[in-house]
Amino acid sequence: MRVDINSDMGESFGPYRIGAESGRLMPHLTSANVACGFHAGDPRVMRDTVRLARAFGVGVGAHVGFPDRVGFGRRAMALSGEEIATDVLYQIGALYAFCREAGVPLRHVKAHGALYNLAERDEAVARALVEGVTRFGAPLVLVAPEGSAMAQAARAAGVPLAREAFADRAYRPDGTLMPRREPGSVITDPGEVARRAVRLVTEGTVESAGGGTVAVGVDTICVHGDTPGAEVLAAAIRQALAQAGVEVAPFPSPAGDPPPPSQVA
Amino acid sequence: MRVDINSDMGESFGPYRIGAESGRLMPHLTSANVACGFHAGDPRVMRDTVRLARAFGVGVGAHVGFPDRVGFGRRAMALSGEEIATDVLYQIGALYAFCREAGVPLRHVKAHGALYNLAERDEAVARALVEGVTRFGAPLVLVAPEGSAMAQAARAAGVPLAREAFADRAYRPDGTLMPRREPGSVITDPGEVARRAVRLVTEGTVESAGGGTVAVGVDTICVHGDTPGAEVLAAAIRQALAQAGVEVAPFPSPAGDPPPPSQVA
Amino acid sequence: MRVDINSDMGESFGPYRIGAESGRLMPHLTSANVACGFHAGDPRVMRDTVRLARAFGVGVGAHVGFPDRVGFGRRAMALSGEEIATDVLYQIGALYAFCREAGVPLRHVKAHGALYNLAERDEAVARALVEGVTRFGAPLVLVAPEGSAMAQAARAAGVPLAREAFADRAYRPDGTLMPRREPGSVITDPGEVARRAVRLVTEGTVESAGGGTVAVGVDTICVHGDTPGAEVLAAAIRQALAQAGVEVAPFPSPAGDPPPPSQVA
Amino acid sequence: MRVDINSDMGESFGPYRIGAESGRLMPHLTSANVACGFHAGDPRVMRDTVRLARAFGVGVGAHVGFPDRVGFGRRAMALSGEEIATDVLYQIGALYAFCREAGVPLRHVKAHGALYNLAERDEAVARALVEGVTRFGAPLVLVAPEGSAMAQAARAAGVPLAREAFADRAYRPDGTLMPRREPGSVITDPGEVARRAVRLVTEGTVESAGGGTVAVGVDTICVHGDTPGAEVLAAAIRQALAQAGVEVAPFPSPAGDPPPPSQVA
């Protein structure tokens, strides 16, 4: 048994730091979703984040979002499919340049914020996102939850999928996430999060909001970097997974594996 | 004898058109410098411009500039060398994605506006520009005037150079361009421009402002796309060059030749 | 009988010109909706547009839009009410500065593009728009179509309303505009547009798509500046209105009248 | 004897916080220079900062900067005088809107970062800055160091001046600041900073780098909000000034005094 742990990284901008704990969280990850300058990030932050990922042997992916910096890509925008596809393609290319510089493969793509939320359920948006990925013409994995419109669009286009699940979020009986604004939707106790992570990987299920059991496919577990103490959470997940005999390793990508860590945390 | 003709392309943005004659000018070029979204251009414009270049067998390069859209990259900015290098790398990657999509090689890089002007004479800026090019780790040609700090930095870094000259601009006796604001600095008569182009290629010289002769190395002649009637000028240059037995063809790039034209103008 | 003629102005940006005919269209208007730098416009364009309006005795208003320059404010964005109100307030203030400089009153506010479309029917967006207007604490008129959520929100907040109608657009029997993508939705014949303008003002009605008659309240007729030949259309409307005995003059605003023209077209 | 204490405020942006201690620093100030959305700040941050200033009876001014968000306005840009003047005017208007909303006067203008540095010694830039202020047509104070080109331009234009001095920075014998990159240029010991503040106000002098004494006119002392422990520094300065019998109060502005504090820190 094996699973990946991913987190959104590189969201600082200019003089502004977000996730000052990047250096602390990175050692616990196996994949990093790096912002590409549309909703967050800038060329210096991208350079640093890719280098940090390389130092820890963490796989690099493009975290693509809406062109809305002041809104951090969290506000839905009514872009056409072609606007989404070309914005995604642009962002992939920009990050790819920093991967080339660092000598690491660009392995995956994950949508950010409002683009992720829309592409979960809107087929046209999901297809446009995948279209942006396939236009790059290199083998990239899409990180997306099982059962989403994104997952469906990726399969239809022959794009490999890394199924994302959340150990720190409550699921509804239908396998979708309970919205953040609802009480009990976010789980903060590290022990409980770690237990859910183990169950996700070993049983492929999670306890749903009503107390029942729901099947959730998982290749990668998302750790939210903006949660206070995210590195503690990630460490707890890793330890519990190790004790349960689960290997924590980057999901396979046709783009290749990240190079081995070049330094120890 | 052989020479390339290059022009800045893809400078439209969102709803705004610049160089509406792109479709008219492109057939007369052999290289297109495509804006990358910092000083001009956007993902849709980049997509269209690269496709248009492919249709006419025109070589594609990244036209990299300062992050100053309202100033069109024409206002000098005091960026650090590292800021310039990473901004350049980002822009190269973004355009590269559209080249991949179109199935054409990204062949060259040319600085735009104030970045070009600074990098002509400022060694630190020139080195930073070249640093951005080499970090991409792919063989790219730098388009720059002979004798400039850019040319020197490219040679020092082992980056192939396409020496750029201007048939529509007056030269000073020292081989530098007469500033645009001085009277007589811009030559608009197509016949005169064409004659100067032929002399540049066949003799490697141009008549300088004072009436003397100055040696100017040339691999590529720049046609300013924002000059009214640029396509007439470009056509006149091509015709005169052909009559003088000069082959007009893309300068060589280690990245490869552009594919043959897929449609006739 | 009296009516105002308004048009969107000042949509150029940096090196990009839109509505190069600004100088031609302005003499035919009585109100100008000036872009404020979010979806279009920049400080130089704002300065020039306000000065041009003053020269022709045209009333100045803030044309407020979403912060989406590449999309020209035409793409809906899911902003919170507070984000809309503060964005609107910011834009009003910015334009107000140029009105102070030019010595003309800031008389009105009109939403642009996707913000206009949303605020027509979405009560929360409409209230947020009006909230942005009232927070400025100066008496400003809102330009909005009768029957819209905007009109309702303005009345509820005690903001004076200038009811906007369109002489070049087809109306549906319920008094709403036929969407642009439907055939026959845009009327281009100047004579027909002029006749509809006269009928709008003198009878308060327009022929609806099905051939019936629909009542449409009108204080100001919108001329789309991006229509080719907009100045011809505007001139035709003015002439026809004059012949019908309708006075063409700025709608009243508590902020005061524009100063008399300082130059003749 | 009387002096003002000013600090740069409202530099957060979208999801990014800078100066999280705003709420802690504000009670110690008498003037706040509020970023206007060009180099930092956004409409929500401007709203909040102006309200916070009102709550503590702190005078509000526009902190105007270059349009370079990723560079935080700290990189010199070669703008024309007219570009500077119109950019400044735009920013003043935008902040003025939030002052109107909050019911407080807009009292002053201070240049930020690279614009401040250029305007200290470049007469054309200084005139352009002052031109932007005077175009607003309301009585505003310019905050600038005595002896600078800014101070000279303000006097020439009849703009009232608040002479700014720095208690935490080393001065050179000619009365200019020692550059930050030189060792000993920034003084961090609160006691020493407080002593220098008292001497600045009571004697009008400061000990210069070489150990001599240099005369420095002062109406307002700048506290750098991005210094760790800025609120401790500001409190130490206030206490020392009080003990020395110096009144700490907003500098006079023709725009009027800030309203009295509406809440206690």
Side-chain angles (χ1 to χ4, degrees), chain D residues 179-204:
Chain D
R180 274 174 183 272
R181 60 182 177 275
E182 293 184 26
S185 63
V186 178
I187 300 148
T188 54
D189 174 62
E192 173 63 10
V193 173
R195 272 189 299 277
R196 292 171 75 93
V198 169
R199 184 172 167 187
L200 270 168
V201 182
T202 57
E203 302 179 19

PDB file of all heavy atoms in Angstrom, chain D residues 179-204:
ATOM      1  N   PRO D 179      22.618  55.457   3.845  1.00  0.00           N
ATOM      2  CA  PRO D 179      21.861  54.369   3.198  1.00  0.00           C
ATOM      3  C   PRO D 179      21.731  53.139   4.094  1.00  0.00           C
ATOM      4  O   PRO D 179      22.647  52.817   4.860  1.00  0.00           O
ATOM      5  CB  PRO D 179      22.698  54.059   1.951  1.00  0.00           C
ATOM      6  CG  PRO D 179      23.457  55.312   1.672  1.00  0.00           C
ATOM      7  CD  PRO D 179      23.737  55.918   3.020  1.00  0.00           C
ATOM      8  N   ARG D 180      20.594  52.452   3.970  1.00  0.00           N
ATOM      9  CA  ARG D 180      20.285  51.307   4.816  1.00  0.00           C
ATOM     10  C   ARG D 180      21.346  50.207   4.735  1.00  0.00           C
ATOM     11  O   ARG D 180      21.548  49.466   5.685  1.00  0.00           O
ATOM     12  CB  ARG D 180      18.961  50.675   4.383  1.00  0.00           C
ATOM     13  CG  ARG D 180      17.737  51.304   4.998  1.00  0.00           C
ATOM     14  CD  ARG D 180      16.487  50.678   4.365  1.00  0.00           C
ATOM     15  NE  ARG D 180      15.287  51.306   4.893  1.00  0.00           N
ATOM     16  CZ  ARG D 180      14.663  50.905   5.992  1.00  0.00           C
ATOM     17  NH1 ARG D 180      15.126  49.894   6.678  1.00  0.00           N
ATOM     18  NH2 ARG D 180      13.578  51.529   6.415  1.00  0.00           N
ATOM     19  N   ARG D 181      21.985  50.082   3.586  1.00  0.00           N
ATOM     20  CA  ARG D 181      22.912  48.961   3.430  1.00  0.00           C
ATOM     21  C   ARG D 181      24.220  49.172   4.209  1.00  0.00           C
ATOM     22  O   ARG D 181      24.988  48.246   4.402  1.00  0.00           O
ATOM     23  CB  ARG D 181      23.219  48.708   1.959  1.00  0.00           C
ATOM     24  CG  ARG D 181      23.835  49.872   1.258  1.00  0.00           C
ATOM     25  CD  ARG D 181      24.101  49.617  -0.223  1.00  0.00           C
ATOM     26  NE  ARG D 181      24.630  50.822  -0.830  1.00  0.00           N
ATOM     27  CZ  ARG D 181      23.901  51.828  -1.297  1.00  0.00           C
ATOM     28  NH1 ARG D 181      22.574  51.755  -1.252  1.00  0.00           N
ATOM     29  NH2 ARG D 181      24.460  52.908  -1.810  1.00  0.00           N
ATOM     30  N   GLU D 182      24.469  50.409   4.653  1.00  0.00           N
ATOM     31  CA  GLU D 182      25.698  50.663   5.409  1.00  0.00           C
ATOM     32  C   GLU D 182      25.515  50.273   6.871  1.00  0.00           C
ATOM     33  O   GLU D 182      24.451  50.496   7.449  1.00  0.00           O
ATOM     34  CB  GLU D 182      26.105  52.136   5.283  1.00  0.00           C
ATOM     35  CG  GLU D 182      26.530  52.489   3.861  1.00  0.00           C
ATOM     36  CD  GLU D 182      27.031  53.929   3.753  1.00  0.00           C
ATOM     37  OE1 GLU D 182      27.503  54.479   4.767  1.00  0.00           O
ATOM     38  OE2 GLU D 182      26.938  54.496   2.653  1.00  0.00           O
ATOM     39  N   PRO D 183      26.576  49.684   7.461  1.00  0.00           N
ATOM     40  CA  PRO D 183      26.463  49.271   8.859  1.00  0.00           C
ATOM     41  C   PRO D 183      26.232  50.473   9.767  1.00  0.00           C
ATOM     42  O   PRO D 183      26.794  51.541   9.542  1.00  0.00           O
ATOM     43  CB  PRO D 183      27.811  48.598   9.147  1.00  0.00           C
ATOM     44  CG  PRO D 183      28.733  49.060   8.072  1.00  0.00           C
ATOM     45  CD  PRO D 183      27.896  49.398   6.881  1.00  0.00           C
ATOM     46  N   GLY D 184      25.378  50.293  10.742  1.00  0.00           N
ATOM     47  CA  GLY D 184      25.087  51.371  11.683  1.00  0.00           C
ATOM     48  C   GLY D 184      24.064  52.362  11.177  1.00  0.00           C
ATOM     49  O   GLY D 184      23.790  53.361  11.843  1.00  0.00           O
ATOM     50  N   SER D 185      23.488  52.093  10.010  1.00  0.00           N
ATOM     51  CA  SER D 185      22.549  53.067   9.451  1.00  0.00           C
ATOM     52  C   SER D 185      21.184  52.997  10.137  1.00  0.00           C
ATOM     53  O   SER D 185      20.455  53.972  10.151  1.00  0.00           O
ATOM     54  CB  SER D 185      22.395  52.846   7.947  1.00  0.00           C
ATOM     55  OG  SER D 185      21.830  51.570   7.715  1.00  0.00           O
ATOM     56  N   VAL D 186      20.846  51.835  10.673  1.00  0.00           N
ATOM     57  CA  VAL D 186      19.556  51.686  11.350  1.00  0.00           C
ATOM     58  C   VAL D 186      19.785  51.459  12.838  1.00  0.00           C
ATOM     59  O   VAL D 186      20.571  50.600  13.232  1.00  0.00           O
ATOM     60  CB  VAL D 186      18.753  50.507  10.748  1.00  0.00           C
ATOM     61  CG1 VAL D 186      17.427  50.331  11.502  1.00  0.00           C
ATOM     62  CG2 VAL D 186      18.497  50.729   9.266  1.00  0.00           C
ATOM     63  N   ILE D 187      19.107  52.258  13.623  1.00  0.00           N
ATOM     64  CA  ILE D 187      19.261  52.191  15.081  1.00  0.00           C
ATOM     65  C   ILE D 187      18.067  51.437  15.645  1.00  0.00           C
ATOM     66  O   ILE D 187      16.918  51.784  15.358  1.00  0.00           O
ATOM     67  CB  ILE D 187      19.346  53.610  15.670  1.00  0.00           C
ATOM     68  CG1 ILE D 187      20.561  54.314  15.063  1.00  0.00           C
ATOM     69  CG2 ILE D 187      19.437  53.573  17.192  1.00  0.00           C
ATOM     70  CD1 ILE D 187      20.386  55.798  14.916  1.00  0.00           C
ATOM     71  N   THR D 188      18.346  50.400  16.405  1.00  0.00           N
ATOM     72  CA  THR D 188      17.250  49.534  16.846  1.00  0.00           C
ATOM     73  C   THR D 188      16.990  49.620  18.350  1.00  0.00           C
ATOM     74  O   THR D 188      15.934  49.202  18.809  1.00  0.00           O
ATOM     75  CB  THR D 188      17.554  48.064  16.486  1.00  0.00           C
ATOM     76  OG1 THR D 188      18.845  47.735  17.045  1.00  0.00           O
ATOM     77  CG2 THR D 188      17.614  47.864  14.980  1.00  0.00           C
ATOM     78  N   ASP D 189      17.919  50.162  19.091  1.00  0.00           N
ATOM     79  CA  ASP D 189      17.713  50.242  20.536  1.00  0.00           C
ATOM     80  C   ASP D 189      16.655  51.294  20.856  1.00  0.00           C
ATOM     81  O   ASP D 189      16.836  52.487  20.546  1.00  0.00           O
ATOM     82  CB  ASP D 189      19.037  50.612  21.228  1.00  0.00           C
ATOM     83  CG  ASP D 189      18.841  50.840  22.715  1.00  0.00           C
ATOM     84  OD1 ASP D 189      18.434  49.892  23.414  1.00  0.00           O
ATOM     85  OD2 ASP D 189      19.062  51.990  23.161  1.00  0.00           O
ATOM     86  N   PRO D 190      15.543  50.885  21.480  1.00  0.00           N
ATOM     87  CA  PRO D 190      14.452  51.833  21.724  1.00  0.00           C
ATOM     88  C   PRO D 190      14.886  53.052  22.543  1.00  0.00           C
ATOM     89  O   PRO D 190      14.439  54.167  22.259  1.00  0.00           O
ATOM     90  CB  PRO D 190      13.422  50.993  22.497  1.00  0.00           C
ATOM     91  CG  PRO D 190      13.705  49.584  22.102  1.00  0.00           C
ATOM     92  CD  PRO D 190      15.200  49.514  21.908  1.00  0.00           C
ATOM     93  N   GLY D 191      15.738  52.825  23.508  1.00  0.00           N
ATOM     94  CA  GLY D 191      16.178  53.958  24.331  1.00  0.00           C
ATOM     95  C   GLY D 191      16.939  54.976  23.503  1.00  0.00           C
ATOM     96  O   GLY D 191      16.696  56.187  23.609  1.00  0.00           O
ATOM     97  N   GLU D 192      17.842  54.505  22.673  1.00  0.00           N
ATOM     98  CA  GLU D 192      18.627  55.386  21.820  1.00  0.00           C
ATOM     99  C   GLU D 192      17.724  56.112  20.819  1.00  0.00           C
ATOM    100  O   GLU D 192      17.879  57.313  20.580  1.00  0.00           O
ATOM    101  CB  GLU D 192      19.717  54.569  21.097  1.00  0.00           C
ATOM    102  CG  GLU D 192      20.508  55.310  20.044  1.00  0.00           C
ATOM    103  CD  GLU D 192      21.320  56.477  20.618  1.00  0.00           C
ATOM    104  OE1 GLU D 192      21.415  56.592  21.857  1.00  0.00           O
ATOM    105  OE2 GLU D 192      21.830  57.288  19.821  1.00  0.00           O
ATOM    106  N   VAL D 193      16.809  55.374  20.239  1.00  0.00           N
ATOM    107  CA  VAL D 193      15.877  55.990  19.279  1.00  0.00           C
ATOM    108  C   VAL D 193      15.074  57.083  19.977  1.00  0.00           C
ATOM    109  O   VAL D 193      14.890  58.188  19.433  1.00  0.00           O
ATOM    110  CB  VAL D 193      14.938  54.925  18.657  1.00  0.00           C
ATOM    111  CG1 VAL D 193      13.861  55.584  17.805  1.00  0.00           C
ATOM    112  CG2 VAL D 193      15.744  53.926  17.814  1.00  0.00           C
ATOM    113  N   ALA D 194      14.612  56.791  21.177  1.00  0.00           N
ATOM    114  CA  ALA D 194      13.805  57.773  21.911  1.00  0.00           C
ATOM    115  C   ALA D 194      14.623  59.020  22.236  1.00  0.00           C
ATOM    116  O   ALA D 194      14.139  60.149  22.114  1.00  0.00           O
ATOM    117  CB  ALA D 194      13.252  57.139  23.196  1.00  0.00           C
ATOM    118  N   ARG D 195      15.884  58.792  22.656  1.00  0.00           N
ATOM    119  CA  ARG D 195      16.743  59.942  22.956  1.00  0.00           C
ATOM    120  C   ARG D 195      16.951  60.828  21.719  1.00  0.00           C
ATOM    121  O   ARG D 195      16.924  62.044  21.791  1.00  0.00           O
ATOM    122  CB  ARG D 195      18.111  59.463  23.464  1.00  0.00           C
ATOM    123  CG  ARG D 195      18.164  59.252  24.973  1.00  0.00           C
ATOM    124  CD  ARG D 195      19.582  58.988  25.480  1.00  0.00           C
ATOM    125  NE  ARG D 195      20.186  57.790  24.902  1.00  0.00           N
ATOM    126  CZ  ARG D 195      19.973  56.553  25.351  1.00  0.00           C
ATOM    127  NH1 ARG D 195      19.179  56.329  26.377  1.00  0.00           N
ATOM    128  NH2 ARG D 195      20.558  55.518  24.763  1.00  0.00           N
ATOM    129  N   ARG D 196      17.163  60.168  20.583  1.00  0.00           N
ATOM    130  CA  ARG D 196      17.355  60.933  19.341  1.00  0.00           C
ATOM    131  C   ARG D 196      16.088  61.704  18.968  1.00  0.00           C
ATOM    132  O   ARG D 196      16.162  62.837  18.482  1.00  0.00           O
ATOM    133  CB  ARG D 196      17.767  59.995  18.200  1.00  0.00           C
ATOM    134  CG  ARG D 196      19.165  59.401  18.398  1.00  0.00           C
ATOM    135  CD  ARG D 196      19.470  58.319  17.378  1.00  0.00           C
ATOM    136  NE  ARG D 196      19.753  58.847  16.058  1.00  0.00           N
ATOM    137  CZ  ARG D 196      20.972  59.137  15.597  1.00  0.00           C
ATOM    138  NH1 ARG D 196      22.032  58.950  16.368  1.00  0.00           N
ATOM    139  NH2 ARG D 196      21.137  59.610  14.383  1.00  0.00           N
ATOM    140  N   ALA D 197      14.946  61.083  19.199  1.00  0.00           N
ATOM    141  CA  ALA D 197      13.679  61.762  18.904  1.00  0.00           C
ATOM    142  C   ALA D 197      13.541  63.030  19.733  1.00  0.00           C
ATOM    143  O   ALA D 197      13.179  64.097  19.223  1.00  0.00           O
ATOM    144  CB  ALA D 197      12.507  60.813  19.168  1.00  0.00           C
ATOM    145  N   VAL D 198      13.856  62.909  21.022  1.00  0.00           N
ATOM    146  CA  VAL D 198      13.738  64.077  21.903  1.00  0.00           C
ATOM    147  C   VAL D 198      14.687  65.189  21.451  1.00  0.00           C
ATOM    148  O   VAL D 198      14.304  66.355  21.366  1.00  0.00           O
ATOM    149  CB  VAL D 198      14.033  63.677  23.373  1.00  0.00           C
ATOM    150  CG1 VAL D 198      14.178  64.923  24.256  1.00  0.00           C
ATOM    151  CG2 VAL D 198      12.922  62.764  23.901  1.00  0.00           C
ATOM    152  N   ARG D 199      15.909  64.788  21.115  1.00  0.00           N
ATOM    153  CA  ARG D 199      16.882  65.791  20.674  1.00  0.00           C
ATOM    154  C   ARG D 199      16.451  66.449  19.363  1.00  0.00           C
ATOM    155  O   ARG D 199      16.604  67.667  19.185  1.00  0.00           O
ATOM    156  CB  ARG D 199      18.255  65.126  20.518  1.00  0.00           C
ATOM    157  CG  ARG D 199      19.339  66.115  20.165  1.00  0.00           C
ATOM    158  CD  ARG D 199      20.710  65.493  20.205  1.00  0.00           C
ATOM    159  NE  ARG D 199      21.685  66.370  19.573  1.00  0.00           N
ATOM    160  CZ  ARG D 199      22.946  66.045  19.334  1.00  0.00           C
ATOM    161  NH1 ARG D 199      23.395  64.837  19.689  1.00  0.00           N
ATOM    162  NH2 ARG D 199      23.766  66.891  18.752  1.00  0.00           N
ATOM    163  N   LEU D 200      15.921  65.641  18.471  1.00  0.00           N
ATOM    164  CA  LEU D 200      15.432  66.184  17.191  1.00  0.00           C
ATOM    165  C   LEU D 200      14.413  67.289  17.445  1.00  0.00           C
ATOM    166  O   LEU D 200      14.483  68.372  16.827  1.00  0.00           O
ATOM    167  CB  LEU D 200      14.752  65.076  16.365  1.00  0.00           C
ATOM    168  CG  LEU D 200      15.630  64.273  15.414  1.00  0.00           C
ATOM    169  CD1 LEU D 200      14.891  63.037  14.911  1.00  0.00           C
ATOM    170  CD2 LEU D 200      16.071  65.151  14.229  1.00  0.00           C
ATOM    171  N   VAL D 201      13.491  67.041  18.350  1.00  0.00           N
ATOM    172  CA  VAL D 201      12.405  67.995  18.544  1.00  0.00           C
ATOM    173  C   VAL D 201      12.850  69.173  19.405  1.00  0.00           C
ATOM    174  O   VAL D 201      12.543  70.323  19.102  1.00  0.00           O
ATOM    175  CB  VAL D 201      11.189  67.298  19.186  1.00  0.00           C
ATOM    176  CG1 VAL D 201      10.032  68.292  19.332  1.00  0.00           C
ATOM    177  CG2 VAL D 201      10.761  66.101  18.347  1.00  0.00           C
ATOM    178  N   THR D 202      13.577  68.884  20.474  1.00  0.00           N
ATOM    179  CA  THR D 202      13.897  69.969  21.421  1.00  0.00           C
ATOM    180  C   THR D 202      15.069  70.825  20.947  1.00  0.00           C
ATOM    181  O   THR D 202      15.122  72.019  21.232  1.00  0.00           O
ATOM    182  CB  THR D 202      14.221  69.393  22.812  1.00  0.00           C
ATOM    183  OG1 THR D 202      15.304  68.462  22.684  1.00  0.00           O
ATOM    184  CG2 THR D 202      13.012  68.689  23.411  1.00  0.00           C
ATOM    185  N   GLU D 203      16.015  70.199  20.222  1.00  0.00           N
ATOM    186  CA  GLU D 203      17.189  70.960  19.774  1.00  0.00           C
ATOM    187  C   GLU D 203      17.226  71.176  18.271  1.00  0.00           C
ATOM    188  O   GLU D 203      18.005  71.996  17.777  1.00  0.00           O
ATOM    189  CB  GLU D 203      18.479  70.244  20.209  1.00  0.00           C
ATOM    190  CG  GLU D 203      18.579  70.050  21.707  1.00  0.00           C
ATOM    191  CD  GLU D 203      19.862  69.326  22.096  1.00  0.00           C
ATOM    192  OE1 GLU D 203      20.811  69.305  21.273  1.00  0.00           O
ATOM    193  OE2 GLU D 203      19.906  68.766  23.201  1.00  0.00           O
ATOM    194  N   GLY D 204      16.438  70.381  17.548  1.00  0.00           N
ATOM    195  CA  GLY D 204      16.478  70.494  16.086  1.00  0.00           C
ATOM    196  C   GLY D 204      17.762  69.952  15.493  1.00  0.00           C
ATOM    197  O   GLY D 204      18.165  70.348  14.400  1.00  0.00           O
TER     198      GLY D 204
END
